[in-house]
Amino acid sequence: MIFWLAGLYFGWRWAHASGAAWRHALELLFIMLAAMSAMRLMQRWRIRHGKGEGALGRLPLYALALAKLALVASALAVEYLLQRWISPETARVLAGAGLGVAFTVVGLVLHRRHNGP
């Protein structure tokens, strides 16, 4: 559930951003890394207090950061490519929708891969 909500948020955030694409890519990457760090701190707190690992399980921090960087770079490239054929606003919305779906799918795949039996 957390990956669906995060995917919706980041896709919406990308689609409704204003200004240059590279600028909102950096903002989104910063938000992703800050949220990941906060989740990691919450996970450590939960483990210390005997409440389990939480929603993220044992996801490696390095793999998550690389996956998020790749997703943002891909969305940026897709938006720039789409702007050659369609309006910038439509390209931004399509790139945001793709980012949201990709974020959800990659999050679920990494979660199953690292928390499987």
Side-chain angles (χ1 to χ4, degrees):
M1 178 73 170
I2 193 167
F3 296 110
W4 288 102
L5 292 174
L8 282 173
Y9 172 74
F10 290 123
W12 171 83
R13 179 85 188 209
W14 186 283
H16 294 310
S18 61
W22 65 269
R23 185 173 178 200
H24 63 259
L26 288 177
E27 289 172 0
L28 201 64
L29 188 60
F30 176 76
I31 292 170
M32 285 179 178
L33 294 176
M36 183 178 61
S37 298
M39 288 296 292
R40 181 62 73 182
L41 289 173
M42 180 62 81
Q43 185 180 37
R44 288 181 183 168
W45 181 86
R46 287 179 58 87
I47 290 171
R48 258 192 321 226
H49 289 87
K51 299 181 188 282
E53 291 179 323
L56 288 181
R58 294 169 292 197
L59 288 177
L61 191 63
Y62 185 70
L64 263 177
L66 283 180
K68 290 177 186 204
L69 180 63
L71 286 175
V72 170
S74 298
L76 186 61
V78 165
E79 183 175 332
Y80 278 132
L81 284 173
L82 286 175
Q83 285 180 3
R84 301 175 110 191
W85 298 288
I86 58 178
S87 70
E89 294 82 19
T90 306
R92 183 172 292 141
V93 169
L94 289 175
L99 177 68
V101 170
F103 189 91
T104 301
V105 170
V106 168
L108 290 172
V109 167
L110 281 176
H111 187 266
R112 287 187 182 135
R113 180 177 167 198
H114 292 284
N115 295 315

